[in-house]
Each structure stands twice: as structure tokens, then as C-alpha cells.
Amino acid sequence: MAPFPGIPLLLATIAAMEGVAYASHRWVMHGPGWFLHESHHRARTGAFELNDLYAVIFAIPSIVLLLGGVQLGWWPGFTWIGAGIAAYGAIYFGFHDVIVHRRIGHRYVPRSGYMKRIIQAHRLHHAVESKAGAVSFGFLWAPPAEVLKVQLLERRKA
């Protein structure tokens, strides 16, 4: 597949992955998959946590699509979709694990309103240590902190 239809497909996949990540985080990780994700809402004692297995789980579709598109003769668009899933995973890792949770040391200080909002939203998500009652399940988009604070208060009252 030529780059022109491929690159828009890759970018569309990255955008769509935010919806997939939101749904997975809200209804799987904070649902039946809590047994893995719970480790992420507790203090980490080592370099890894059970929640890290989600990276392996979410890499499988990317690997399969890349393999099929590159080696097995499947529709070439699958290569771009697999690359889009992998790109979203890399963006997620950089934002979530490096910038927010500082699993790799750095000196980055968020200055843009977007970065400040997304980091604050993730911190508000972690204000709840249980499976229920959390807010802000997205990774690259989040409502303003003021909206999330109101949601947290409402959920604590319920």
C-alpha cells in the first residue's frame, strides 16, 4: 500500500485506539480485569506490576496485523493498522509510564495546558484505589480537572 492511503489509516488507527483504550480501561480493567489492574492503583514495590501484562495483551493484535500484512500476504492496510496500534502503545508508554508515573527518570516539566490537564486527570483517576468510583479513563484526552473533581465528589456521595 502506498504511503498516501497508509498514513491516514495509521493516524486514524491511533485516534481510534483512544476509544479502545478508554473502553478497555473503564469496562475491563476496572471490571473483570481488576485482578491485574489493581496493582496499578497501589504503590509499586519493584520495577514491574501485574498491570504491565496489559501491554503484552494489547501488543498481540498489533503483532498479528503486522505479521499478516508484511509476511503472510494479507491486505496491506493491516500493516498500517498494526503500526497504528503499536504507535499508540508507544505514545501511551511515553505519556503514562514515563511522564506521569516516572518509571523512567526525566526532567520534563509540563508547561502546556494540555499536558497539565491530562496529567491532573490521571492523578484524579488514581485518587480512587478501588475498582469503582474512578473518573477519567482516557489516556490522551480528558475533561478539565474541575469537571472531574465534581464527578469524584458525586461518586463518593453515591
Side-chain angles (χ1 to χ4, degrees):
M1 178 178 281
F4 175 68
I7 291 172
L9 188 54
L10 177 127
L11 295 174
T13 301
I14 293 170
M17 283 304 298
E18 179 67 2
V20 171
Y22 177 95
S24 298
H25 190 193
R26 183 164 188 177
W27 291 295
V28 175
M29 293 178 183
H30 280 260
W34 180 251
F35 71 99
L36 294 176
H37 188 60
E38 181 179 20
S39 66
H40 184 62
H41 283 261
R42 305 278 183 257
R44 190 175 57 255
T45 56
F48 298 100
E49 54 193 41
L50 277 175
N51 186 69
D52 294 336
L53 290 174
Y54 279 117
V56 175
I57 292 166
F58 295 143
I60 293 170
S62 176
I63 293 166
V64 168
L65 290 170
L66 285 166
L67 176 68
V70 172
Q71 293 292 323
L72 302 179
W74 297 357
W75 175 58
F78 287 140
T79 303
W80 292 95
I81 294 169
I85 294 169
Y88 183 86
I91 294 165
Y92 167 84
F93 174 77
F95 165 72
H96 182 263
D97 290 327
V98 177
I99 293 174
V100 175
H101 290 291
R102 296 184 170 267
R103 290 178 76 171
I104 296 174
H106 62 83
R107 295 181 185 192
Y108 173 76
V109 176
R111 289 182 170 63
S112 74
Y114 167 77
M115 288 303 291
K116 289 177 182 178
R117 183 182 83 223
I118 206 79
I119 290 169
Q120 181 66 24
H122 197 75
R123 291 196 174 128
L124 288 169
H125 174 77
H126 280 273
V128 176
E129 292 185 359
S130 65
K131 179 172 150 171
V135 296
S136 187
F137 295 92
F139 295 109
L140 301 178
W141 181 87
E146 297 75 29
V147 171
L148 296 173
K149 288 176 185 177
V150 169
Q151 288 177 355
L152 271 174
L153 286 174
E154 289 173 354
R155 291 178 185 184
R156 285 181 180 158
K157 290 178 185 175

